[in-house]
Amino acid sequence: MRFDVFTLFPEMFTGPLQESIIKRAQERGLISVHLHNIRDYAAGRHRITDDAPYGGGGGMVMKPEPIFAAVEAVLGDEKGVPVILLSPQGRLFTHQVAKELSRHPRLALICGRYEGVDERVREHLATDEISIGDYVLSGGELAAMVVIDAVTRLLPGVLGDPGAAFEDSHAWGLLEYPHYTRPAVFRGWGVPEVLLSGNHAAIARWRREQALRRTLERRPDLLERAVLTEEDRAFLARLGWPKTPESDKPT
Ligand code: SAM
């Protein structure tokens, strides 16, 4: 998969792209990340990429011309490449969105700065607008890196253990079960007995129940959309889910 990132600060990507899973995915040819400095596409001796907002007010706005020029030059005639504007006003980035994006062979990511980008970029260049959460970052670079990381993990062959992404939190609409490693006892705190039992069926059942229990405790909203078996539903029913208007009444 190919990522084309349009940014005023390409060096912000240097560290994250050179470590661990993302580094190996590039070395093995599973992904390539191409960083394009929007400034290189700005006209004039000063290569200005931002200007004051029409209508007044504080802050600067990223000019449309260099962004259009950069994206059009890099994508050329290639059709169907999602052009994603990172923005706190976009649709929320979730596991499902990452999965959807992972099906494309190429993605273009536009990183805003300052007060954001001229609205015409959103209207006439971007085909999608993504927010990584309900807060405001100083720029789209960290958000783009989050998208690259989350999408890359889902690509076949990227993770050493192919089952890992399958079991991760959110993959099935549940939070993942807790993990333990050696030592079996640390500062007097032991590992749950079942994990030491070697009984794979019991371990699988315990993990599933833990995933259900912690999703119910921390993110009950996720249960509404999770893929649940009859056994899951019976387990959750014993924990009082779903809550009925009756169960909310004081006794
Ligand atoms: N004035 C804008 C607003 O209120 O919607 C916020 C601009 S923000 C300071 C600058 C840039 O950071 C945005 O153009 C966007 O590219 C990026 N950004 C900020 N928060 C983000 C978020 N939650 N998700 C994705 N990108 C974000």
Side-chain angles (χ1 to χ4, degrees):
M1 167 164 227
R2 173 179 171 134
F3 297 93
D4 286 286
V5 184
F6 298 88
T7 169
L8 288 174
F9 299 97
E11 283 173 16
M12 282 189 69
F13 293 84
T14 311
L17 289 177
Q18 287 177 358
E19 299 291 341
S20 185
I21 290 173
I22 299 291
K23 179 185 178 195
R24 282 200 299 278
Q26 292 171 93
E27 287 170 351
R28 290 159 60 201
L30 298 169
I31 63 162
S32 62
V33 183
H34 303 260
L35 302 170
H36 309 284
N37 193 332
I38 295 168
R39 196 171 300 287
D40 294 342
Y41 296 84
R45 196 155 57 90
H46 298 293
R47 296 193 175 278
I48 290 170
T49 57
D50 59 295
D51 208 335
Y54 276 119
M60 298 296 268
V61 176
M62 283 177 70
K63 290 164 69 58
E65 309 96 306
I67 302 178
F68 272 80
V71 173
E72 285 168 359
V74 169
L75 295 190
D77 291 336
E78 192 166 334
K79 300 270 175 274
V81 179
V83 177
I84 302 166
L85 175 64
L86 282 314
S87 155
Q89 303 180 20
R91 62 181 176 136
L92 211 52
F93 188 57
T94 62
H95 178 80
Q96 293 312 321
V97 176
K99 230 162 92 177
E100 174 197 316
L101 298 181
S102 73
R103 296 190 190 110
H104 292 272
R106 188 174 185 185
L107 296 178
L109 300 161
I110 302 173
C111 307
R113 277 273 152 182
Y114 320 121
E115 282 306 314
V117 303
D118 184 287
E119 187 66 6
R120 288 161 290 189
V121 170
R122 193 187 66 73
E123 288 173 341
H124 304 293
L125 183 64
T127 59
D128 196 354
E129 200 177 355
I130 286 180
S131 164
I132 64 158
D134 291 340
Y135 41 78
V136 176
L137 301 163
S138 317
E141 288 76 13
L142 294 175
M145 197 57 233
V146 165
V147 171
I148 293 170
D149 189 295
V151 169
T152 299
R153 292 177 61 79
L154 299 175
L155 300 176
V158 166
L159 296 184
D161 169 7
F166 196 69
E167 293 213 39
D168 271 343
S169 294
H170 300 292
W172 290 98
L174 295 178
L175 303 182
E176 201 186 27
Y177 52 80
H179 296 280
Y180 295 87
T181 187
R182 274 181 276 273
V185 180
F186 169 66
R187 296 189 175 177
W189 301 308
V191 167
E193 279 299 321
V194 63
L195 297 178
L196 310 174
S197 69
N199 180 338
H200 296 297
I203 291 171
R205 194 167 52 250
W206 180 85
R207 285 181 166 165
R208 184 71 185 174
E209 289 180 359
Q210 289 293 315
L212 291 164
R213 185 185 290 275
R214 61 172 47 189
T215 307
L216 177 63
E217 285 167 2
R218 299 176 189 196
R219 293 289 308 276
D221 56 303
L222 295 178
L223 289 176
E224 304 296 336
R225 282 169 281 122
V227 182
L228 300 173
T229 64
E230 281 311 309
E231 207 179 340
D232 294 337
R233 290 184 184 279
F235 177 74
L236 287 166
R238 291 200 290 282
L239 301 180
W241 185 88
K243 267 192 175 175
T244 58
E246 282 304 305
S247 63
D248 277 344
K249 280 190 187 156
T251 47

